[in-house]
């Protein structure tokens, strides 16, 4: 939180810091939920998912990717076997339904309980602007936008953007602490 680039970006009126906060909160809530599923943890988990979804559409990419990595790490560290893992997953399904229902209700509330047509899906759904927004982001990502890095311009971006930004803009003390934390 004291990294200069994060502080500078947090001063801008964008949805990126809300995404950062709510995705982080959702990931922490998911750990509590997975260790102790119940009404309370499912409600908190659902609320954080809903808030993350309302903060930015990128949540739809970040959360599943993070959960897959978290689950893969869990399985690598403590593989219970296929049948116990499957039984655990089935046992969690009712709590998944509770969290999902709360998240969807919160998203719907965020869009003022609107119901209407979603043209590209040819359906009438709750929170139609949510689905339309997802579609616009998908179309935008297909076209790309102008990006600049190390004196070059690109319509599609750069695969090495984040490693360069991490190396150049992150204070050395933070990089050293990160390296120590990994081990």
């Amino acid at each position: 939180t004291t990294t200069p680039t994060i502080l500078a970006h947090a001063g801008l009126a964008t949805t990126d810091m809300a995404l950062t906060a709510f995705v982080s909160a959702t990931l922490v809530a998911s750990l509590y939920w997975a260790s102790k599923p119940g009404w309370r943890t499912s409600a908190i988990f659902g609320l954080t998912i809903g808030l993350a979804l309302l903060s930015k559409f990128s949540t739809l990419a970040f959360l599943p990717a993070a959960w897959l990595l978290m689950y893969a790490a869990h399985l690598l560290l403590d593989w219970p076997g296929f049948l116990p893992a499957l039984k655990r997953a089935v046992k969690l399904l009712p709590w998944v339904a509770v969290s999902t229902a709360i998240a969807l209700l919160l998203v719907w509330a965020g869009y003022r309980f609107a119901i209407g047509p979603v043209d590209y899906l040819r359906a009438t759904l709750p929170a139609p602007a949510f689905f339309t927004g997802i579609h616009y982001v998908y179309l935008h990502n297909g076209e790309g936008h102008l990006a600049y890095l190390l004196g070059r311009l690109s319509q599609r971006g750069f695969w090495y953007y984040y490693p360069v930004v991490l190396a150049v803009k992150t204070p050395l003390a933070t990089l050293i602490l990160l390296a120590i934390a990994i081990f």
Side-chain angles (χ1 to χ4, degrees):
T1 59
T2 59
T3 304
T5 52
I6 292 174
L7 288 172
H9 195 74
L12 301 174
T14 69
T15 57
D16 293 340
M17 294 313 291
L19 170 76
T20 302
F22 288 127
V23 165
S24 299
T26 302
L27 294 176
V28 170
S30 70
L31 291 173
Y32 284 111
W33 173 84
S35 68
K36 202 174 196 178
W39 287 107
R40 185 170 187 254
T41 55
S42 295
I44 292 169
F45 187 34
L47 285 171
T48 58
I49 292 171
L51 291 169
L53 288 168
L54 287 170
S55 70
K56 194 167 186 173
F57 296 127
S58 303
T59 298
L60 294 166
F62 289 136
L63 280 180
W67 285 328
L68 284 173
L69 288 172
M70 290 166 66
Y71 191 60
H74 169 70
L75 292 179
L76 283 172
L77 294 174
D78 187 25
W79 173 245
F82 180 74
L83 281 176
L86 183 63
K87 286 180 184 177
R88 170 102 168 119
V90 169
K91 183 180 161 187
L92 289 175
L93 283 177
W95 301 117
V96 169
V98 169
S99 296
T100 302
I102 290 171
L104 293 175
L105 185 63
L106 186 60
V107 168
W108 191 24
Y111 284 87
R112 299 179 180 165
F113 296 104
I115 297 175
V118 180
D119 294 336
Y120 74 99
L121 294 176
R122 296 187 181 120
T124 299
L125 297 172
F130 178 76
F131 296 101
T132 302
I134 292 169
H135 185 64
Y136 285 148
V137 169
Y138 172 78
L139 294 174
H140 173 78
N141 288 342
E143 295 172 11
H145 61 270
L146 198 57
Y148 176 84
L149 180 67
L150 301 175
R152 295 185 57 217
L153 291 172
S154 171
Q155 188 66 25
R156 292 284 185 200
F158 306 91
W159 68 267
Y160 50 88
Y161 175 82
Y162 288 106
V164 168
V165 168
L166 182 69
V168 173
K169 292 187 173 187
T170 305
L172 287 177
T174 304
L175 290 174
I176 291 167
L177 287 173
L178 179 63
I180 291 169
I182 290 172
F183 296 105

